[in-house]
Amino acid sequence: MMRFLAALLMGLTVLGQMAYAQSGPLRIEITDGVVEPLPYAVPDFVAENSAAGGYAKQLAQVIASDLSGTGLFREIPEKAHIAKITSFSAPVQFVDWKAINAQALITGAVSVSGGNLEVKFRVYDVFAGQELGNGLRFKGTVEGWRRMAHKVADAVYSRITGEGGYFDSRVVFVSETGPKSDRKKRLAIMDYDGANLQYLTDSSSIVLAPRFSPTGDKVLYTSYETGFPQVYILDVGSVQRRVLNSEAGTMSFAPRFAPDGKSLLLSITRDGNTDIYRMSLAGGAPKRLTASPAIDTAPSFSPDGSKIVFESDRSGTQQLYVMPAAGGEPKRISFGQGRYGTPVWSPRGDLIAFTKQNKGRFHIGVMRTDGSEERLLTASFLDEGPTWAPNGRVIMFTRETQGASGSSALYSVDVSGRNLRKVKITGGGSDPAWSPLQE
Amino acid sequence: MNGLTKIGFLLAALALAGCDNSGAFGLGGGGGLGGPGSGQFEDGSADDPTSVAHFRERVGDRVLFFVDQSTLNEEGRLTLLAQANWLLENTDYNAVIEGHADEQGTREYNLALGARRASAVKEFLVSRGIAGSRLSTVSFGKERPLEVCSAEACYAQNRRAVTVLKADVNF
């Protein structure tokens, strides 16, 4: 089992280093950053009572969609299976799953009683002929069945890769409709995979760049509700909102929560000059953290709250800087060609994601927090605004196509630059922000 | 001038559609301008030198900027001199200056850049004797492009600051 974990863990090593697993049946081989996905089977769950029948297949499908969606796993479809799982407790006949080369097997059972659903599952290392970790069970409401599936997939992903999962998470973003000259924008929230979409605002005012609180129950965003860009806080449950900085004649935007959730960073513009401020959610005047005549914006805390990365054009072009959380002398960290903006500190603390503009193209990239080992993950006419999955392994961002009929969409890519995918949403979308893993 | 013709046409279309925002004359009006305190004016005839139509079409309500710049060019300064003279004569009007950027930039940066542009216009008008209290500024960043092609011909029209006349400025 350990070699199985080790092999996958190496496969996930950041920065695309070549990693090879040792010999053995379970391995992921990386060639120039390309992983050979691990074949697995997730047969329909066993329905333990008749009310659970409708969920048995759907749970397996969502789990498969999560795992295969990472690009690290490849599902062996049901039609290739030569055995069925009809009892959750009966011993697994590993030979049946070896025969179809399934290296991992996920079995599960579901029962429904009243409005509640209970899911049990086990993960097997088929070629080792043993269970990988212990069986687990989750309980929830039937309405929340997709979350149960995501939790199972998170546990499987986590056991096989040694990394935290990210499937039981949500994304808040700006839903877009209408022509480029009169785009209608509204805040929306959905599961990370696009399911369970809900709108949080109407489209009567421009809204921009929502950001989750560390607990995922609040969202900061910028709205033109008063005709003027100002930062608001919105409660996801009640959809109640209030303006945070309502100083007359003062624009505020680019908000982001501090890791403790009790204060935020934002940009405030006075007399045409944009600086970074910190303000407490309990009230009080915003405290100014930068004091240059340059554009200082897009601040993001390090996960330990000790540092802030932001963008500034104080050198003449947009570049990335890191300063202490209380303010103070910033240190420039970006030195490559082109312009750098919208830095976001990884939840793991190891990397900073950014938007780079160079020679008429836009890129999403990552670098170490000291600016070293810069790597570009994408290239297009317009990519911008990265946000990290809760495990720091995947980045979601906005991609806009060019021309009069250009539109925005959400994409995801993993930190090695592999597995670029369009997120399935209806209509256009921009400015995604990934929630923490749900409790 | 092509851009201005289109603007006139667009406003006419909005008026026909019965849009109650017709009092906000600048573009980017779809961005929620016309909020509390904004006045409703008749557009008037461009031949009437005290009319909003005259300000927009004869005086010129906008200035354009070079890529990533907020410095006023010679043409812009001439337009703003004329705007200042008009505002000195027509003291019933206040103005909101809307700064905009083209799409080649990140969202936050473009908001800040548009604010710089609007502020450059305000400073110039104040230096020509307009009371600062009559002028306010706002930025739409890249949210309200006037022209939608992804080419310099469009970008040049989008890098703009538009002086939008209002009865009152009271955000």
Side-chain angles (χ1 to χ4, degrees), chain B residues 5-112:
Chain B
T5 312
K6 284 183 184 168
I7 293 150
F9 182 76
L10 178 61
L11 283 174
L14 284 173
L16 282 173
C19 174
D20 67 7
N21 201 30
S22 54
F25 295 101
L27 291 160
L33 290 182
S38 68
Q40 301 290 311
F41 287 108
E42 291 304 317
D43 202 356
S45 157
D47 292 332
D48 171 4
T50 66
S51 75
V52 169
H54 182 86
F55 180 83
R56 198 177 59 239
E57 291 165 34
R58 304 284 165 83
V59 174
D61 67 347
R62 66 200 52 208
V63 297
L64 304 180
F65 295 86
F66 295 119
V67 176
D68 200 20
Q69 296 293 312
S70 56
T71 311
L72 298 166
N73 60 30
E74 197 49 42
E75 194 183 343
R77 294 166 76 89
L78 286 172
T79 302
L80 293 179
L81 272 176
Q83 285 188 8
N85 289 336
W86 193 93
L87 286 164
L88 285 171
E89 291 289 317
N90 295 279
T91 52
D92 290 345
Y93 292 93
N94 293 338
V96 179
I97 302 151
E98 297 179 4
H100 298 264
D102 68 33
E103 70 187 356
Q104 296 172 292
T106 48
R107 202 175 308 289
E108 294 85 352
Y109 183 82
N110 278 350
L111 276 177

Side-chain angles (χ1 to χ4, degrees), chain A residues 39-239:
Chain A
Y40 71 98
V42 53
D44 292 354
F45 277 23
V46 177
E48 296 200 317
N49 56 29
S50 60
Y55 297 100
K57 182 180 276 299
Q58 291 184 80
L59 287 163
Q61 283 172 343
V62 171
I63 293 163
S65 167
D66 283 346
L67 293 174
S68 299
T70 65
L72 298 171
F73 300 86
R74 178 173 59 79
E75 186 194 12
I76 297 172
E78 192 182 2
K79 64 178 189 299
H81 297 182
I82 57 174
K84 271 194 183 316
I85 301 289
T86 51
S87 160
F88 181 65
S89 51
V92 166
Q93 301 303 311
F94 290 108
V95 62
D96 293 340
W97 304 98
K98 275 183 193 165
I100 60 169
N101 198 32
Q103 301 194 32
L105 170 70
I106 301 145
T107 66
V110 54
S111 61
V112 169
S113 119
N116 294 316
L117 179 131
E118 184 180 307
V119 172
K120 297 182 282 193
F121 74 97
R122 295 184 190 279
V123 190
Y124 297 94
D125 179 339
V126 171
F127 283 81
Q130 62 189 21
E131 196 174 345
L132 192 59
N134 296 319
L136 270 182
R137 76 180 66 205
F138 296 117
K139 285 181 185 178
T141 62
V142 289
E143 293 78 30
W145 71 270
R146 291 186 71 94
R147 282 197 62 194
M148 301 292 113
H150 292 317
K151 282 185 175 298
V152 172
D154 274 329
V156 173
Y157 175 94
S158 192
R159 286 180 193 182
I160 294 182
T161 65
E163 301 286 329
Y166 63 90
F167 308 122
D168 185 25
S169 61
R170 308 195 83 191
V171 171
V172 62
F173 68 104
V174 174
S175 166
E176 300 194 3
T177 53
K180 200 168 170 181
S181 56
D182 188 22
R183 218 23 81 73
K184 297 296 183 207
K185 295 192 166 192
R186 55 199 300 207
L187 283 193
I189 191 170
M190 63 185 184
D191 296 351
Y192 98 98
D193 60 359
N196 292 323
L197 179 83
Q198 256 181 282
Y199 294 103
L200 300 174
T201 67
D202 64 24
S203 60
S204 59
S205 321
I206 300 173
V207 289
L208 305 173
R211 309 289 181 214
F212 273 112
S213 64
T215 46
D217 57 340
K218 303 261 193 315
V219 168
L220 293 170
Y221 67 105
T222 303
S223 171
Y224 280 73
E225 211 167 291
T226 62
F228 216 72
Q230 290 181 316
V231 171
Y232 288 72
I233 187 168
L234 177 140
D235 183 88
V236 174
S238 69
V239 203

